[in-house]
Amino acid sequence: MVSRVIPVDSFDLVIFGGTGDLARRKIFPALYRRFISGQMPEGSRIIGAARSDHNALEFRALIGQAIREFGGAAAQIDNKLKEFLDNLDYVTIDAKGTNGWSELAGMVRKDLVNAFYFSVAPSLFGPLAERLHAHNLADQTSRIVVEKPFGRDLKSAKELNAILALHFDEEQIYRIDHYLGKETVQNLMAVRFGNILFEPLWNSQYVDHIQITVAETVGVGGRGGYYDKSGAIRDMIQNHLMQLLCLIAMEPPSRFDPNSVRDEKLKVIRALEPVVPHHIVRGQYDATQTEPSYRDDAGDPKSRTESFVALKCEISNWRWAGTPFYLRTGKKLKARASEIAVVFKDAPHAIFGQEAGRHRNILIIRLQPNEGMTLGVTIKEPGPGGMRLVDVPLDMTFADALGPEAAEAPDAYERLIMDVVRGDQTLFMRGDEVEAAWKWTDPIVQGIAERHDVPKPYKVGTSGPDDANLLLKRDGREWREIRE
Ligand code: NAP
């Protein structure tokens, strides 16, 4: 299978914060890979913008180095890299001052697609939007891209939305959640809405429960101070896991267009019940012989911020009433693995008798590693000696099923940046969606603070604190093992 490259119009893309960590590790390597794939039209240009003083040549050298470091195998093709870097320009600019703005206004070509990527702290979103407007840089066809975190609660998210709305229409604002750009996440929609097989079973009558796990092996390391102000609920649940929950639970949209899809996701968030305290388990990783504990990493021996959380959520609508959704995410767990597991109910009548055991169908959607899907089905164990049942996986690892190109499919940032150029908002969060997600998350975070809850310690390399297992055990269920 050969992946198709869909042409896009020529563009001028300005990356505010072009010298920062995100730009160097993700944005420029992603753009470079699109260039290699032939998707960057001739005449397009990427302009880095930050306060540090660089000329275009120095900036190209800086980005060249970043691409060699973070760009994977493609980055080692020297002549291609040079060709790409020739499309880069730089402007020294102050988002909060006057410096650099007229230069930028002179650089951006109005007859092309104009996109402005705000890869800077959220406190600069307002000043940037204001100045883009004041310098006539943004018109009705311009787009802005903003990064998470989009607020730290409902109030701040509303403030950010209001600031951006002063200068841009909602159709011009692209709020990135890179999870939505992952191949499997989109495949989730293809599987649900492109097949007749699953949809009739996709409800509380047939689904016992759903588990969503995003497990990491890394700790918070050098960014402990920053992380300690947010924690796993704000950093992961409010955005990434919530987005996965929406895609798995939403009603079929009438069309695959941005607002039809996002309307359905919003309905899911609005139907979420408040989470009761005993359905929340939080944890902090312990120290090992050689590695610091979460509290050491955070630089606060009394920190109450969680590096792990498990939650039980309920969606009050016709489709899902009575089916729990269990979400968990954490740092320094036993494997780096993200998956959604749809666990179906038992067959209504056990014709093979109790001794055949309990067998359930499970659909597993793997986000990483080995993106793909597995359907656990029950068959007869081969051989004589009566009817013994055994569960086997119907496995579809995309790289195996679709050929090696599938493994080289564009990564999330590649896809999402090209969607911005294309003007397709389907995989970006709408303002009301973000606010609804905070409206649900705020009472969870506030309740924890008011109760002075202390996270439970857990050992590095495990599945989190024991209480997370009890959360499911109380309901007669168990988590799937976290493994790569
Ligand atoms: P960073 O490494 O601190 O980079 C910040 C960038 O902003 C630098 O290029 C900096 O360059 C520029 N900048 C700072 N103040 C400025 C001003 N007044 N005017 C113009 N430019 C200014 O931060 P980052 O990690 O790249 O993160 C950028 C954004 O993405 C943040 O909102 C972050 O939360 C979000 N994010 C980051 C990651 C990640 O993996 N890094 C992941 C998800 C989301 P100068 O100092 O030269 O001006």
Side-chain angles (χ1 to χ4, degrees):
M1 203 209 66
V2 178
S3 53
R4 274 189 311 144
V5 172
I6 300 167
V8 297
D9 293 334
S10 297
F11 58 84
D12 269 353
L13 169 63
V14 178
I15 302 180
F16 293 108
T19 55
D21 178 70
L22 182 70
R24 285 183 296 111
R25 275 192 315 112
K26 296 284 182 193
I27 303 174
F28 279 105
L31 283 162
Y32 174 61
R33 283 192 294 268
R34 287 292 83 208
F35 173 80
I36 293 270
S37 308
Q39 209 181 25
M40 189 165 148
E42 211 158 296
S44 297
R45 200 173 32 166
I46 306 157
I47 304 168
R51 285 168 310 178
S52 349
D53 228 349
H54 297 292
N55 59 34
L57 284 180
E58 288 163 355
F59 182 64
R60 287 173 193 169
L62 182 93
I63 298 304
Q65 204 177 355
I67 292 176
R68 275 192 207 94
E69 192 173 346
F70 303 112
Q76 315 313 329
I77 317 171
D78 264 354
N79 57 340
K80 278 285 172 196
L81 183 54
K82 172 159 185 337
E83 232 179 274
F84 171 75
L85 294 173
D86 286 345
N87 298 300
L88 266 52
D89 223 324
Y90 183 79
V91 59
T92 304
I93 209 164
D94 186 356
K96 292 205 273 194
T98 50
N99 194 20
W101 284 96
S102 5
E103 282 95 312
L104 184 63
M107 285 164 117
V108 173
R109 294 163 297 173
K110 291 294 209 180
D111 51 332
L112 303 184
V113 171
N114 294 162
F116 302 92
Y117 200 129
F118 293 7
S119 181
V120 292
S123 59
L124 297 179
F125 291 179
L128 282 177
E130 204 177 296
R131 281 162 181 74
L132 283 172
H133 195 75
H135 288 85
N136 247 345
L137 272 156
D139 59 24
Q140 284 297 308
T141 61
S142 311
R143 286 131 215 198
I144 58 167
V145 185
V146 292
E147 269 291 339
K148 81 159 210 183
F150 200 81
R152 54 174 284 108
D153 52 22
L154 177 59
K155 182 170 170 286
S156 53
K158 276 188 165 173
E159 283 165 7
L160 279 179
N161 276 337
I163 287 172
L164 296 180
L166 286 177
H167 305 291
F168 295 94
D169 293 337
E170 183 61 36
E171 288 66 38
Q172 299 180 276
I173 305 170
Y174 291 72
R175 295 176 194 78
I176 280 207
D177 182 329
H178 71 270
Y179 262 60
L180 287 181
K182 285 181 183 287
E183 190 68 24
T184 329
V185 172
Q186 291 170 73
N187 234 317
L188 182 54
M189 286 189 272
V191 165
R192 278 196 65 192
F193 306 130
N195 296 287
I196 199 161
L197 194 62
F198 297 108
E199 201 49 29
L201 305 179
W202 213 260
N203 56 54
S204 58
Q205 199 184 339
Y206 295 105
V207 176
D208 178 73
H209 72 280
I210 292 179
Q211 301 183 12
I212 304 180
T213 298
V214 175
E216 298 177 90
T217 48
V218 293
V220 296
R223 59 183 204 113
Y226 159 81
Y227 183 91
D228 202 49
K229 293 193 192 77
S230 62
I233 298 175
R234 283 196 175 101
D235 194 49
M236 297 294 291
I237 298 277
Q238 186 274 344
N239 39 66
H240 303 323
L241 279 87
M242 174 78 81
Q243 288 296 322
L244 299 179
L245 173 78
C246 286
L247 294 176
I248 203 104
M250 72 185 187
E251 294 301 314
S254 56
R255 280 177 300 279
F256 188 61
D257 67 29
N259 280 332
S260 305
V261 171
R262 297 184 300 176
D263 286 347
E264 296 306 336
K265 283 163 57 195
L266 180 61
K267 285 185 207 160
V268 174
I269 305 176
R270 288 189 173 154
L272 276 169
E273 286 292 321
V275 181
V276 294
H278 64 280
H279 288 167
I280 307 167
V281 176
R282 297 186 314 133
Q284 280 178 340
Y285 54 80
D286 274 337
T288 65
Q289 301 255 335
T290 51
E291 290 175 47
S293 68
Y294 172 76
R295 288 179 170 190
D296 294 331
D297 278 340
D300 176 359
K302 291 188 178 151
S303 168
R304 290 183 174 171
T305 305
E306 71 284 347
S307 61
F308 172 96
V309 64
L311 298 173
K312 176 179 171 180
C313 321
E314 279 158 306
I315 299 174
S316 278
N317 64 16
W318 195 284
R319 185 187 285 262
W320 292 117
T323 297
F325 286 69
Y326 300 98
L327 316 185
R328 80 180 149 167
T329 179
K331 309 269 181 203
K332 291 219 177 184
L333 298 179
K334 68 197 291 191
R336 176 174 175 264
S338 301
E339 67 165 42
I340 303 169
V342 181
V343 182
F344 290 92
K345 290 187 173 172
D346 293 349
H349 172 58
I351 69 164
F352 302 112
Q354 294 309 323
E355 61 279 10
R358 189 189 203 190
H359 297 272
R360 282 184 159 181
N361 297 120
I362 305 183
L363 177 69
I364 297 148
I365 300 136
R366 288 190 305 278
L367 275 69
Q368 63 191 23
N370 309 324
E371 293 200 334
M373 292 191 197
T374 303
L375 179 63
V377 291
T378 302
I379 60 165
K380 178 189 168 297
E381 195 177 302
M387 191 59 119
R388 290 184 310 274
L389 301 184
V390 61
D391 292 332
V392 292
L394 276 181
D395 186 55
M396 187 181 70
T397 299
F398 294 154
D400 295 344
L402 304 173
E405 286 89 358
E408 286 154 25
D411 83 0
Y413 273 94
E414 292 177 59
R415 170 172 294 117
L416 293 174
I417 296 171
M418 285 302 136
D419 278 357
V420 173
V421 175
R422 236 179 252 125
D424 183 347
Q425 287 188 305
T426 312
L427 301 176
F428 296 82
M429 291 179 297
R430 211 167 52 189
D432 52 1
E433 239 184 291
V434 175
E435 289 184 14
W438 279 122
K439 197 171 173 187
W440 178 77
T441 313
D442 271 5
I444 301 177
V445 176
Q446 279 158 11
I448 288 166
E450 281 160 16
R451 292 189 303 272
H452 304 289
D453 281 358
V454 180
K456 300 273 186 312
Y458 62 91
K459 288 200 170 62
V460 170
T462 64
S463 307
D466 290 341
D467 284 14
N469 296 328
L470 286 179
L471 182 69
L472 269 74
K473 214 169 181 181
R474 280 202 301 257
D475 295 346
R477 303 183 172 105
E478 57 183 34
W479 288 109
R480 281 176 44 77
E481 196 187 333
I482 298 176
R483 62 164 176 235
E484 283 185 10

